[in-house]
Amino acid sequence: MSPRTMFDKIWQAHQVVPETVDTPAVLYVDLHLVHEVTSPQAFALLGARGLRVRRPDRTLATLDHSTPTDADELFGRVPMRDAAAAGQIAALQRNAAAAGIELLDIGDRRRGIVHVIGPELGATQPGSVIVCGDSHTSTHGACGALAFGIGTTEVGHVLATQCLLQRKPRTLAVNVAGKLGAGVTAKDLVLAIIGRLGVAGGTGQVIEYRGAAVRALTMDERMTVCNMSIEAGARAGMIAPDATTFEYLRGRPRAPAGADWERAVAAWSELPTDAGATFDREMSLDAAGIEPMISFGTNPAMVCPVGGSVPGRDDPSYRKALVYMGFAPGERLAGKPVDVVFIGSCTNSRLSDLRAAAALLRGRRVAAGIRLLVVPGSETVRRAAEAEGLAAVFTAAGGEWREPGCSMCLGMNGDLAAPGQYVVSTSNRNFEGRQGAGVRTLLASPATAAAAAIAGCIADPREFATREE
Amino acid sequence: MEPFRRLRSRTVVLPATDIDTDQIIPARYLTTTGREGLGRHLFAGWRYAGDGTPLADFPLNRPQAAGCAILVAGRNFGCGSSREHAAWALYDYGIRVVISSEIADIFRSNALKNGLLPILVDEPLHAWLLAHPGADLEIDLEGNRLLLPDGQAVTFAIEPFARYCLLQGVDELGHLLAQLPRIEAFERETAR
Ligand code: SF4
């Protein structure tokens, strides 16, 4: 057999019916993740057609997007501020119960953001096809899966048949040579990649991240990178499974165990792209040249080093973005005052992200007038962070420590900033109004976010020596 | 789904590049469990002032835009989230065709499933359309062509299966359900 990419291997292994000129392929879905915002209309579609959820055992639901992160609201001690959001939560509770789908409900010790809980539970496995009605499903590709976001109609298709109609996307290799510098993180790497590719650079493609710098990343870091693939327009991002992947998955609740584990590892070891396989496109960069990054515009490709200045460009949409952000071409970013710092989202809310932020905040306080919001990605992350004292570091610094959820990543649950405010955010989208009408989002790593909280302005995290306990 | 065969309409133009799904419909309107009535929130952040009054100079609010069913948008329309609410909002508002030089993957797929036709055109034609709001176009899906006001016909590419579904007004689920025997066989063979 001729050499194949990892994408090709997974695609071929899931083709129930290959594509023809007239019809797309029927692609089998191993794991379907469901949340409250993009599923109610899909369940309604099934109901209207008199169809059942075909494989509830391959479906896992959680509450995250419009779910409150305020403990009193979450646990019903006060009514939810948003009655419509409460209705959406109730709808998923009803739909999951009726279909026999496992729901990580409010109060469940495993509940969390859909893209955090999948890998955490070991439900996300190499070689599988994973879909969810959410564009950041690309996160799961960090484990060597083909994972992509789908619309609500397609959520209905998967519920009804466990399959999707898909045309085969093209492949893009992003080769990252070298080694990230001290104080430079996976978030900086992916922001730099998106800056290079542009927000539509990956359209119609699946990215495989490769090279020494990628191999050196931890699983949490790989998830941060794959998570933002969609920000370059790509359907999916993936990283070949290796010893790091297997170590991460071993012993997780849904990972194979015993003899099954050995068999699974042997199969997963066959997944990486064969030597000599070709991609439709390749892009290369060196990790050594990357610095801590921050976004300055209204799309995630508008990024520059925290020590840099806002580039100028003669383009009306670009100029409009700068007007929205209140930045002028040539303006230095470091020292720009900010109002809110948000540490959370499926990009950067795992334990290692919280550790990175706490390393800077330990023994320090947030600058006067700054609101710091820290939202763990899951209940599991919350408990671990509390047990090792990270939550105490955030609250001692003057920050708010919340219940898990999407929170200010998209501001559906009432966690919003005020018009005109600057928010340094570890999330993935800086679109106009994403964190509230008129709010200006600056995307950055947890370390850069923590530095901004301490300094009260955009700052280089490398200037803040990590304090030991 | 309503069949889509031919449509004639003037265009309304939003020249901005990279119009993302948060602009098409902001997240605060996604707490619905239905799909109707989202048209009033279409481009909410751009269409209305803070107090809810329509902004007169936003292209959709201009009197000439009334009844326009064709939206011409800057490059990379619909990037961002997978929210199908974006396609539902456009359709509910009355848009039936979106034309750009690049359209994001998930949005394009969602649009096609809801009777909303995304059309990709080359850069020169895109530039012309952006510069001529109100142009009277005819879209002929049966012939895969777009007729310009001067009568010139331009062919466009569309995924054949999506085209078939649009022309017939049928959704894709029927086709998938017809594959169930093969899906079951696949599950048996691969022990899924
Ligand atoms: S954290 Fe943000 S990007 Fe991630 S799933 Fe939630 S809303 Fe989407």
Side-chain angles (χ1 to χ4, degrees):
Chain A
M1 197 182 290
S2 56
R4 293 184 298 164
T5 62
M6 173 166 63
F7 164 77
D8 277 322
K9 295 180 191 183
I10 300 177
W11 178 273
Q12 283 166 12
H14 290 80
Q15 267 186 137
V16 175
V17 184
E19 65 181 332
T20 66
V21 174
D22 293 328
T23 50
V26 177
L27 196 69
Y28 195 79
V29 173
D30 296 304
L31 175 65
H32 183 198
L33 298 163
V34 172
H35 65 84
E36 74 275 27
V37 175
T38 56
S39 65
Q41 297 87 351
F43 283 105
L45 170 83
L46 260 66
R49 297 271 191 116
L51 296 165
R52 285 183 311 114
V53 175
R54 195 162 163 272
R55 292 295 299 264
D57 59 323
R58 292 194 169 273
T59 314
L60 176 64
T62 188
L63 295 167
D64 55 4
H65 279 68
S66 55
T67 304
T69 56
D70 174 274
D72 286 341
E73 268 188 82
L74 184 65
F75 295 113
R77 294 190 284 268
V78 300
M80 283 189 199
R81 271 177 291 179
D82 188 333
Q88 226 168 24
I89 291 167
L92 183 53
Q93 289 167 332
R94 261 194 328 272
N95 287 328
I101 293 169
E102 184 173 12
L103 169 66
L104 309 185
D105 207 342
I106 292 166
D108 191 301
R109 288 170 61 82
R110 302 162 300 166
R111 188 184 67 82
I113 303 175
V114 63
H115 311 310
V116 175
I117 56 122
E120 198 171 72
L121 295 172
T124 298
Q125 293 176 13
S128 41
V129 168
I130 301 173
V131 300
C132 172
D134 187 281
S135 59
H136 291 99
T137 307
S138 58
T139 314
H140 305 262
C143 295
L146 172 60
F148 53 93
I150 56 177
T152 294
T153 300
E154 290 179 319
V155 169
H157 293 176
V158 181
L159 289 174
T161 66
Q162 204 56 31
C163 288
L164 270 178
L165 290 169
Q166 288 286 301
R167 287 284 174 191
K168 192 175 179 181
R170 284 165 292 133
T171 52
L172 164 63
V174 172
N175 304 301
V176 194
K179 192 167 173 279
L180 288 171
V184 183
T185 69
K187 182 63 164 290
D188 304 310
L189 169 61
V190 71
L191 287 175
I193 293 171
I194 297 162
R196 285 267 212 103
L197 272 175
V199 282
T203 301
Q205 297 155 73
V206 166
I207 301 177
E208 184 184 328
Y209 300 94
R210 301 160 60 80
V214 173
R215 296 262 66 87
L217 298 175
T218 65
M219 287 309 292
D220 284 6
E221 292 170 329
R222 293 178 186 188
M223 289 178 217
T224 299
V225 171
C226 287
N227 173 273
M228 291 193 72
S229 304
I230 179 75
E231 259 53 74
R235 285 309 302 273
M238 57 203 319
I239 294 175
D242 58 11
T244 305
T245 321
F246 306 149
E247 246 355 275
Y248 173 90
L249 286 171
R250 186 197 295 275
R252 296 204 175 249
R254 291 192 171 215
D260 286 345
W261 170 257
E262 301 303 328
R263 266 196 299 278
V265 169
W268 296 342
S269 302
E270 299 292 318
L271 289 167
T273 294
D274 299 329
T278 53
F279 294 85
D280 293 307
R281 220 182 120 202
E282 299 216 26
M283 170 188 135
S284 297
L285 72 165
D286 196 319
I290 296 170
E291 297 200 44
M293 304 291 283
I294 193 156
S295 72
F296 58 84
T298 57
N299 75 52
M302 296 175 78
V303 287
C304 76
V306 282
S309 314
V310 175
R313 224 171 81 191
D314 189 25
D315 171 82
S317 294
Y318 184 90
R319 281 198 303 269
K320 182 170 162 280
L322 291 193
V323 169
Y324 179 85
M325 293 301 292
F327 288 148
E331 188 173 356
R332 276 180 53 78
L333 286 165
K336 273 295 271 191
V338 302
D339 305 287
V340 179
V341 172
F342 170 63
I343 298 175
S345 90
C346 57
T347 314
N348 285 121
S349 64
R350 286 168 281 268
L351 192 60
S352 56
D353 298 311
L354 303 184
R355 283 180 182 152
L360 270 74
L361 283 158
R362 186 166 287 123
R364 292 194 170 103
R365 284 199 59 83
V366 303
I370 301 286
R371 177 182 181 201
L372 167 66
L373 194 71
V374 188
V375 183
S378 69
E379 287 289 348
T380 308
V381 171
R382 182 183 63 74
R383 281 193 307 277
E386 287 173 1
E388 66 179 67
L390 305 180
V393 169
F394 298 128
T395 49
E400 298 167 47
W401 174 247
R402 295 299 195 101
E403 297 296 320
C406 295
S407 181
M408 206 184 269
C409 174
L410 90 166
M412 269 195 77
N413 69 337
D415 295 345
L416 293 167
Q421 286 191 319
Y422 287 95
V423 183
V424 178
S425 179
T426 67
S427 56
N428 42 51
R429 285 188 177 142
N430 51 352
F431 297 154
E432 266 184 46
R434 174 87 175 174
Q435 300 185 301
V439 176
R440 295 141 159 180
T441 303
L442 307 159
L443 302 174
S445 73
T448 303
I454 298 162
C457 60
I458 298 175
D460 189 326
R462 293 171 300 190
E463 287 164 16
F464 294 79
T466 299
R467 293 201 176 173
E468 296 305 324
E469 270 178 286
Chain B
M1 196 164 82
E2 293 271 309
F4 186 119
R5 295 199 177 90
R6 292 178 89 87
L7 176 124
R8 183 166 174 177
S9 166
R10 280 173 300 111
T11 62
V12 57
V13 173
L14 293 178
T17 57
D18 307 316
I19 295 178
D20 57 75
T21 48
D22 278 77
Q23 308 318 313
I24 301 173
I25 183 158
R28 59 183 176 279
Y29 303 114
L30 307 188
T31 47
T32 169
T33 52
R35 56 203 286 173
E36 286 76 34
L38 291 171
R40 66 175 175 278
H41 307 306
L42 180 68
F43 298 114
W46 291 348
R47 225 167 109 201
Y48 307 109
D51 63 359
T53 50
L55 294 167
D57 63 346
F58 183 65
L60 260 63
N61 292 339
R62 294 187 192 134
Q64 315 86 284
C68 289
I70 303 176
L71 174 67
V72 175
R75 183 175 41 80
N76 194 30
F77 184 79
C79 59
S81 106
S82 64
R83 60 186 72 161
E84 201 157 316
H85 310 68
W88 297 334
L90 283 159
Y91 192 92
D92 186 59
Y93 181 84
I95 302 294
R96 295 291 176 270
V97 178
V98 176
I99 303 179
S100 183
S101 58
E102 180 136 36
I103 297 178
D105 289 333
I106 311 180
F107 173 80
R108 188 147 50 128
S109 159
N110 286 340
L112 287 166
K113 292 178 178 63
N114 288 280
L116 177 64
L117 175 62
I119 297 180
L120 291 178
V121 292
D122 64 14
E123 290 291 347
L125 178 55
H126 189 220
W128 187 89
L129 289 168
L130 288 173
H132 292 84
D136 196 4
L137 303 184
E138 187 166 341
I139 312 296
D140 166 19
L141 184 58
E142 282 165 323
N144 278 10
R145 11 173 251 167
L146 181 161
L147 297 164
L148 295 172
D150 63 2
Q152 194 194 327
V154 181
T155 57
F156 56 84
I158 173 171
E159 199 281 306
F161 185 67
R163 175 174 176 273
Y164 166 83
C165 291
L166 280 174
L167 286 171
Q168 303 301 318
V170 298
D171 66 24
E172 297 180 357
L173 183 55
H175 176 75
L176 257 180
L177 290 169
Q179 311 297 317
L180 274 175
R182 294 181 78 169
I183 296 170
E184 282 160 9
F186 178 88
E187 286 177 327
R188 276 194 306 277
E189 283 156 22
T190 61
R192 276 182 167 90

